[in-house]
């Protein structure tokens, strides 16, 4: 196996309210490299900075009473391979502005990210940003000439400030990479960890006689196709039948939601989406499927925002509409969500640590990002185990 030399000592910076997540990533990265060091498995393990008990750089964000802020680094980044891990959706930090409470918003987090990047620029050997939920990712195209394209502006601004790579998990639309053709941009899939957690925490059977994958709308068809092809399961699709003769609030109204696919009667359903916002799409889809005789319904999503509150899912669980909801820990989850019986947390910490480890030595991450081989190995083992049950 080809051994690649590190780009530089790793320095990880956490700037938002995801410090516990980042600390866990740092610890996992240390364990990975400690094992390699103990086994002398890499000729570069003795390089300065390769093995550190804590890769997180000492830093702080300072807020003024006006709401303005500044970033301060207590140690040098010169020559380092910097990884900035940000959660632009974290909403568990409140500051006081002129006597009023203000919850840190995605716009505030992005502004803080720019502060960090500009502080490291010109000193660090390379700057990488890990932004699991891409800032303004739902503005990936223009509905009209009067609408902003904030995600493109954001990516271009980071590129201009010297960011070499950006890592985004399961974006709403992967075509945003066209905005920055000269910057490294990767979209790791969470499918492997989600499928693994599903198998470990539920009794669902992943075979075509028992289970169907469903995309809740036409925009997520490619995501549904990936899951269904990996698990060799049938795929069903909901599409929105719109009335294109009129516009209401700038959009063509939806006349009906229609389902295309195999009969769902007495089948378990895996509803796949990139995010659960208010939950209305997932629950509407679940209701229609239940009305058509579906058995247990599992909602699988990379990001669980739950902006409409948890009560609607509490009721759906109590009524038997939803069996379980699986989302990753890539963004902030409230203690209330983590305590829910219907919620299953998908741990992405080892995956993020592995990505940092690979990028630091410029290792190819194609297989790591798609995880197709690991998914197949996992499912093959499940099928073998089923034969002996």
């Amino acid at each position: 196996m080809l051994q690649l030399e590190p780009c530089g000592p790793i320095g990880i910076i956490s700037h938002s309210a995801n410090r516990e997540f980042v600390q866990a990533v740092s610890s996992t990265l240390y364990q990975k490299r400690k094992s390699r060091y103990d086994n002398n498995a890499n000729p570069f393990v003795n390089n300065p900075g390769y093995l550190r008990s804590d890769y997180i750089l000492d830093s702080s964000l300072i807020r003024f009473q006006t709401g303005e802020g500044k970033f301060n680094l207590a140690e040098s980044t010169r020559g380092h391979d910097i990884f900035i891990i940000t959660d632009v959706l974290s909403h568990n930090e409140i500051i006081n502005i002129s006597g009023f409470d203000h919850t840190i918003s995605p716009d505030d987090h992005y502004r803080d990210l720019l502060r960090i990047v500009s502080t490291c620029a010109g000193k660090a050997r390379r700057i990488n940003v890990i932004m699991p939920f891409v800032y303004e990712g739902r503005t990936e195209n223009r509905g009209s000439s009067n609408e902003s394209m904030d995600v493109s502006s954001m990516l271009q601004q980071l590129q201009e400030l010297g960011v070499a790579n950006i890592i985004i998990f399961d974006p709403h639309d992967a075509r945003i990479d066209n905005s920055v053709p000269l910057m490294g941009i990767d979209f790791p899939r969470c499918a492997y960890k989600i499928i693994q957690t599903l198998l470990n925490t539920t009794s669902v059977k992943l075979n075509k006689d028992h289970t169907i994958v469903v995309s809740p709308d036409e925009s997520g068809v490619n995501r549904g196709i990936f899951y269904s092809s990996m698990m060799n399961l049938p795929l069903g699709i909901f599409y929105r039948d719109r009335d294109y003769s009129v516009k209401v609030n700038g959009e063509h109204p939806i006349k009906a939601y229609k389902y295309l696919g195999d009969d769902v009667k007495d089948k378990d359903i895996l509803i796949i989406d990139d995010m659960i916002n208010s939950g209305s799409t997932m629950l509407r889809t679940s209701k229609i499927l239940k009305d058509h005789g579906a058995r247990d319904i599992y909602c699988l999503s990379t990001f669980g925002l739950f902006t409409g509150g948890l009560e609607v899912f509490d009721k759906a669980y109590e009524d038997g509409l939803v069996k379980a909801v699986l989302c990753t820990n890539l963004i902030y989850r409230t203690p209330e969500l983590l305590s829910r019986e219907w919620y299953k947390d998908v741990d992405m910490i080892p995956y993020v640590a592995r990505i940092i480890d690979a990028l630091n030595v410029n290792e190819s991450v194609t297989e790591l990002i798609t995880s197709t081989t690991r998914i197949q190995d996992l499912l093959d083992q499940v099928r073998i185990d089923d034969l002996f049950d």
Side-chain angles (χ1 to χ4, degrees):
M1 179 180 176
L2 179 64
Q3 302 291 353
L4 302 172
E5 185 172 6
C7 172
I10 289 176
I12 300 177
I13 297 175
S14 167
H15 88 274
S16 55
N18 61 340
R19 289 184 180 87
E20 289 185 7
F21 179 88
V22 177
Q23 186 63 63
V25 168
S26 175
S27 298
T28 303
L29 178 61
Y30 168 72
Q31 293 299 328
K32 287 179 179 292
R33 292 196 160 186
K34 180 68 164 57
S35 175
R36 203 172 294 148
Y37 177 84
D38 292 340
N39 295 305
N40 199 25
N42 188 307
F44 303 107
V45 292
N46 293 312
N47 279 27
Y50 181 88
L51 183 64
R52 298 167 60 182
S53 60
D54 190 353
Y55 293 94
I56 300 176
L57 299 182
D58 186 9
S59 63
S60 59
L61 273 164
I62 300 167
R63 293 284 178 188
F64 302 107
Q65 290 181 321
T66 58
E68 298 167 294
K70 67 176 181 180
F71 178 72
N72 179 61
L73 266 171
E75 33 185 322
S76 174
T77 61
R78 192 170 299 279
H80 279 65
D81 194 14
I82 297 297
F83 290 84
I84 305 168
I85 304 179
T86 174
D87 174 11
V88 297
L89 294 184
S90 58
H91 51 84
N92 59 330
E93 286 190 335
I94 298 176
I95 61 173
N96 187 278
I97 300 179
S98 300
F100 297 94
D101 286 341
H102 170 74
T103 301
I104 299 295
S105 70
D107 288 346
D108 296 322
H109 286 309
Y110 175 60
R111 185 67 241 179
D112 289 338
L113 174 62
L114 296 182
R115 292 185 175 103
I116 297 172
V117 172
S118 61
T119 304
C120 299
K123 305 178 186 68
R125 179 169 297 179
R126 185 172 63 178
I127 300 174
N128 312 274
V129 172
I130 298 178
M131 183 188 291
F133 185 94
V134 60
Y135 173 71
E136 296 293 358
R138 283 173 284 186
T139 59
E140 78 281 356
N141 58 65
R142 273 203 176 108
S144 73
S145 59
N146 296 323
E147 294 182 4
S148 60
M149 291 186 67
D150 298 305
V151 69
S152 295
S153 299
M154 178 273 293
L155 291 171
Q156 290 169 5
Q157 191 170 16
L158 290 179
Q159 178 179 263
E160 290 167 2
L161 285 172
V163 172
N165 297 295
I166 185 167
I167 307 299
I168 296 165
F169 287 78
D170 290 340
H172 193 62
D173 191 330
R175 290 175 295 182
I176 58 175
D177 62 357
N178 293 326
S179 302
V180 282
L182 301 181
M183 183 169 73
I185 183 166
D186 289 298
F187 304 125
R189 294 180 183 271
C190 299
Y192 171 74
K193 294 299 293 185
I194 290 176
I195 294 170
Q196 184 185 54
T197 304
L198 178 70
L199 291 170
N200 289 341
T201 61
T202 71
S203 59
V204 66
K205 294 183 178 181
L206 298 185
N207 64 65
K208 59 185 179 182
D209 295 324
H210 291 86
T211 307
I212 298 176
V213 171
V214 171
S215 174
D217 55 48
E218 63 273 21
S219 65
V221 170
N222 287 338
R223 193 173 298 107
I225 290 173
F226 180 82
Y227 274 85
S228 65
S229 62
M230 283 290 97
M231 295 184 285
N232 194 27
L233 298 177
L235 174 65
I237 300 168
F238 276 88
Y239 74 95
R240 291 165 284 198
D241 184 14
R242 294 182 180 273
D243 184 355
Y244 289 98
S245 64
V246 296
K247 271 193 173 185
V248 178
N249 296 325
E251 293 187 352
H252 300 289
I254 298 171
K255 294 188 294 184
Y257 288 88
K258 296 186 177 181
Y259 172 75
L260 296 175
D262 292 356
D263 186 5
V264 300
K265 184 174 175 56
D266 296 326
K267 299 289 182 67
D268 289 338
I269 306 295
L270 308 180
I271 303 179
I272 310 293
D273 212 346
D274 61 324
M275 71 180 77
I276 298 176
N277 192 21
S278 66
S280 60
T281 300
M282 284 281 194
L283 296 180
R284 179 184 61 244
T285 303
S286 299
K287 178 67 167 59
I288 297 173
L289 292 169
K290 273 291 186 180
D291 289 344
H292 285 78
R295 192 164 49 201
D296 291 334
I297 296 178
Y298 301 87
C299 300
L300 315 182
S301 178
T302 303
F303 304 107
L305 284 61
F306 299 100
T307 55
L310 304 178
E311 291 75 16
V312 290
F313 279 91
D314 290 339
K315 187 175 188 309
Y317 178 67
E318 291 169 4
D319 294 344
L321 192 62
V322 170
K323 185 73 172 180
V325 179
L326 282 73
C327 302
T328 73
N329 61 349
L330 289 168
I331 62 171
Y332 173 70
R333 292 100 57 239
T334 64
E336 292 76 18
L337 173 62
L338 295 175
S339 70
R340 291 306 201 262
E341 187 177 358
W342 47 263
Y343 178 74
K344 312 295 182 184
D345 210 33
V346 179
D347 183 16
M348 299 297 295
I349 289 170
Y351 192 28
V352 174
R354 179 69 183 91
I355 289 173
I356 292 175
D357 189 33
L359 288 178
N360 179 238
V361 296
N362 291 312
E363 177 187 339
S364 174
V365 294
T366 301
E367 174 53 33
L368 180 62
I369 285 172
T370 59
S371 297
T372 52
T373 301
R374 290 203 298 168
I375 293 173
Q376 286 304 313
D377 290 344
L378 172 66
L379 296 175
D380 287 344
Q381 185 58 52
V382 170
R383 295 183 186 108
I384 292 171
D385 292 343
D386 287 344
L387 290 176
F388 292 94
D389 283 347

